[in-house]
Structures are given as C-alpha cells and as structure tokens.
Amino acid sequence: MNVGSFVALISGGLPLSKLGEMVQKLVKSNVSSFPHPAVQLQCFECLVRYSNFFAARSGCVSEALPAFLGWRGVHHEKLGVRKRVNYLRYRFVRDLRAVAAVPLDYV
C-alpha cells in the first residue's frame, strides 16, 4: 500500500485501513512508556514513518507529541536515545507542519 492510498483511506470519515488501525493502537497503547530503550525508539520510528496518519487524525497528535517531549524522548537518561529522539521529533514536527496537522504554538 502506498502512502497516498493510506491517507485516502483515513481521510474524510472513512473507516481506517488495517495500517491506520495499527498506528492508532500504537498511539493509544502508550507503548513508548515501556522501559527498554529499543522499544521506545522503535515506537518513535513508527510514529515518524507513518506521520501521514496524523494528517487525517490530528486529534492523535496531542497523544503522540508529549511522548517525544517527556522522559521517554528528549529527556531520556541515555544520550544516544536523546539524540535519536531529537532527530525523530524534528522530522515528526516537520511532516506535521507540512500538512498543517499541528498548530505552531503547540510545539
């Protein structure tokens, strides 16, 4: 499935595709609070990879962005995780601004 059809499936009140359901469950499950750094990084990688999901479901941004900004992300105890999450946060916000899914004052 390409990205264009992914966005088309989740926009306009249509039901989510299986991929859209997976991303929504990822955001709602709070899996980024699992204590292992590899799980946290993989969660952030997935959120950035499927950031088109937030173009149609902008209400989920308020659940995903605090994970980037909290102890799981930019305030993590390990320097390597902090560096990677800072880069991923930059990409996440850049992608969301491109589709105007997040107000500038929120970031």
PDB file of all heavy atoms in Angstrom, residues 63-75:
ATOM      1  N   GLU A  63      -1.682  13.124  21.734  1.00  0.00           N
ATOM      2  CA  GLU A  63      -1.267  11.948  22.499  1.00  0.00           C
ATOM      3  C   GLU A  63       0.144  11.505  22.136  1.00  0.00           C
ATOM      4  O   GLU A  63       0.839  10.921  22.969  1.00  0.00           O
ATOM      5  CB  GLU A  63      -2.249  10.809  22.251  1.00  0.00           C
ATOM      6  CG  GLU A  63      -3.657  11.111  22.711  1.00  0.00           C
ATOM      7  CD  GLU A  63      -4.631   9.995  22.384  1.00  0.00           C
ATOM      8  OE1 GLU A  63      -4.193   8.831  22.346  1.00  0.00           O
ATOM      9  OE2 GLU A  63      -5.804  10.297  22.165  1.00  0.00           O
ATOM     10  N   ALA A  64       0.572  11.776  20.911  1.00  0.00           N
ATOM     11  CA  ALA A  64       1.884  11.321  20.456  1.00  0.00           C
ATOM     12  C   ALA A  64       3.004  12.300  20.794  1.00  0.00           C
ATOM     13  O   ALA A  64       4.101  11.885  21.181  1.00  0.00           O
ATOM     14  CB  ALA A  64       1.853  11.072  18.952  1.00  0.00           C
ATOM     15  N   LEU A  65       2.750  13.579  20.661  1.00  0.00           N
ATOM     16  CA  LEU A  65       3.810  14.572  20.860  1.00  0.00           C
ATOM     17  C   LEU A  65       4.364  14.623  22.277  1.00  0.00           C
ATOM     18  O   LEU A  65       5.580  14.760  22.446  1.00  0.00           O
ATOM     19  CB  LEU A  65       3.312  15.947  20.409  1.00  0.00           C
ATOM     20  CG  LEU A  65       4.368  16.996  20.152  1.00  0.00           C
ATOM     21  CD1 LEU A  65       5.413  16.510  19.162  1.00  0.00           C
ATOM     22  CD2 LEU A  65       3.736  18.274  19.662  1.00  0.00           C
ATOM     23  N   PRO A  66       3.553  14.502  23.335  1.00  0.00           N
ATOM     24  CA  PRO A  66       4.143  14.505  24.684  1.00  0.00           C
ATOM     25  C   PRO A  66       5.143  13.377  24.936  1.00  0.00           C
ATOM     26  O   PRO A  66       6.060  13.532  25.740  1.00  0.00           O
ATOM     27  CB  PRO A  66       2.931  14.381  25.601  1.00  0.00           C
ATOM     28  CG  PRO A  66       1.812  14.951  24.825  1.00  0.00           C
ATOM     29  CD  PRO A  66       2.092  14.572  23.399  1.00  0.00           C
ATOM     30  N   ALA A  67       4.988  12.262  24.238  1.00  0.00           N
ATOM     31  CA  ALA A  67       5.961  11.176  24.394  1.00  0.00           C
ATOM     32  C   ALA A  67       7.332  11.614  23.883  1.00  0.00           C
ATOM     33  O   ALA A  67       8.358  11.272  24.469  1.00  0.00           O
ATOM     34  CB  ALA A  67       5.487   9.935  23.643  1.00  0.00           C
ATOM     35  N   PHE A  68       7.357  12.378  22.795  1.00  0.00           N
ATOM     36  CA  PHE A  68       8.622  12.892  22.281  1.00  0.00           C
ATOM     37  C   PHE A  68       9.253  13.880  23.254  1.00  0.00           C
ATOM     38  O   PHE A  68      10.465  13.945  23.376  1.00  0.00           O
ATOM     39  CB  PHE A  68       8.394  13.620  20.947  1.00  0.00           C
ATOM     40  CG  PHE A  68       8.249  12.712  19.761  1.00  0.00           C
ATOM     41  CD1 PHE A  68       6.995  12.379  19.285  1.00  0.00           C
ATOM     42  CD2 PHE A  68       9.354  12.207  19.117  1.00  0.00           C
ATOM     43  CE1 PHE A  68       6.850  11.569  18.181  1.00  0.00           C
ATOM     44  CE2 PHE A  68       9.235  11.389  18.015  1.00  0.00           C
ATOM     45  CZ  PHE A  68       7.965  11.062  17.545  1.00  0.00           C
ATOM     46  N   LEU A  69       8.436  14.652  23.942  1.00  0.00           N
ATOM     47  CA  LEU A  69       8.943  15.737  24.771  1.00  0.00           C
ATOM     48  C   LEU A  69       9.194  15.354  26.225  1.00  0.00           C
ATOM     49  O   LEU A  69       9.740  16.147  26.981  1.00  0.00           O
ATOM     50  CB  LEU A  69       7.958  16.912  24.728  1.00  0.00           C
ATOM     51  CG  LEU A  69       7.707  17.490  23.341  1.00  0.00           C
ATOM     52  CD1 LEU A  69       6.613  18.544  23.401  1.00  0.00           C
ATOM     53  CD2 LEU A  69       8.977  18.032  22.740  1.00  0.00           C
ATOM     54  N   GLY A  70       8.809  14.162  26.633  1.00  0.00           N
ATOM     55  CA  GLY A  70       8.922  13.757  28.030  1.00  0.00           C
ATOM     56  C   GLY A  70      10.154  12.922  28.320  1.00  0.00           C
ATOM     57  O   GLY A  70      11.137  12.925  27.573  1.00  0.00           O
ATOM     58  N   TRP A  71      10.085  12.167  29.414  1.00  0.00           N
ATOM     59  CA  TRP A  71      11.213  11.343  29.867  1.00  0.00           C
ATOM     60  C   TRP A  71      11.526  10.211  28.903  1.00  0.00           C
ATOM     61  O   TRP A  71      12.626   9.685  28.895  1.00  0.00           O
ATOM     62  CB  TRP A  71      10.938  10.778  31.258  1.00  0.00           C
ATOM     63  CG  TRP A  71       9.764   9.845  31.306  1.00  0.00           C
ATOM     64  CD1 TRP A  71       8.463  10.180  31.551  1.00  0.00           C
ATOM     65  CD2 TRP A  71       9.777   8.436  31.100  1.00  0.00           C
ATOM     66  NE1 TRP A  71       7.663   9.072  31.509  1.00  0.00           N
ATOM     67  CE2 TRP A  71       8.449   7.971  31.237  1.00  0.00           C
ATOM     68  CE3 TRP A  71      10.779   7.509  30.815  1.00  0.00           C
ATOM     69  CZ2 TRP A  71       8.085   6.642  31.088  1.00  0.00           C
ATOM     70  CZ3 TRP A  71      10.420   6.184  30.674  1.00  0.00           C
ATOM     71  CH2 TRP A  71       9.096   5.764  30.818  1.00  0.00           C
ATOM     72  N   ARG A  72      10.564   9.820  28.076  1.00  0.00           N
ATOM     73  CA  ARG A  72      10.788   8.748  27.110  1.00  0.00           C
ATOM     74  C   ARG A  72      11.543   9.239  25.897  1.00  0.00           C
ATOM     75  O   ARG A  72      12.108   8.455  25.152  1.00  0.00           O
ATOM     76  CB  ARG A  72       9.450   8.165  26.644  1.00  0.00           C
ATOM     77  CG  ARG A  72       8.658   7.587  27.775  1.00  0.00           C
ATOM     78  CD  ARG A  72       7.243   7.367  27.353  1.00  0.00           C
ATOM     79  NE  ARG A  72       6.538   8.651  27.451  1.00  0.00           N
ATOM     80  CZ  ARG A  72       5.237   8.788  27.367  1.00  0.00           C
ATOM     81  NH1 ARG A  72       4.485   7.751  27.138  1.00  0.00           N
ATOM     82  NH2 ARG A  72       4.682   9.967  27.488  1.00  0.00           N
ATOM     83  N   GLY A  73      11.561  10.549  25.703  1.00  0.00           N
ATOM     84  CA  GLY A  73      12.134  11.112  24.491  1.00  0.00           C
ATOM     85  C   GLY A  73      13.327  12.007  24.753  1.00  0.00           C
ATOM     86  O   GLY A  73      14.412  11.528  25.083  1.00  0.00           O
ATOM     87  N   VAL A  74      13.122  13.310  24.630  1.00  0.00           N
ATOM     88  CA  VAL A  74      14.246  14.254  24.695  1.00  0.00           C
ATOM     89  C   VAL A  74      14.855  14.357  26.090  1.00  0.00           C
ATOM     90  O   VAL A  74      15.955  14.882  26.231  1.00  0.00           O
ATOM     91  CB  VAL A  74      13.840  15.652  24.181  1.00  0.00           C
ATOM     92  CG1 VAL A  74      13.467  15.595  22.723  1.00  0.00           C
ATOM     93  CG2 VAL A  74      12.724  16.240  24.996  1.00  0.00           C
ATOM     94  N   HIS A  75      14.185  13.853  27.107  1.00  0.00           N
ATOM     95  CA  HIS A  75      14.730  13.869  28.472  1.00  0.00           C
ATOM     96  C   HIS A  75      15.105  12.466  28.955  1.00  0.00           C
ATOM     97  O   HIS A  75      15.151  12.208  30.150  1.00  0.00           O
ATOM     98  CB  HIS A  75      13.722  14.494  29.437  1.00  0.00           C
ATOM     99  CG  HIS A  75      13.429  15.922  29.129  1.00  0.00           C
ATOM    100  ND1 HIS A  75      14.358  16.932  29.308  1.00  0.00           N
ATOM    101  CD2 HIS A  75      12.330  16.518  28.628  1.00  0.00           C
ATOM    102  CE1 HIS A  75      13.840  18.077  28.945  1.00  0.00           C
ATOM    103  NE2 HIS A  75      12.604  17.861  28.520  1.00  0.00           N
TER     104      HIS A  75
END
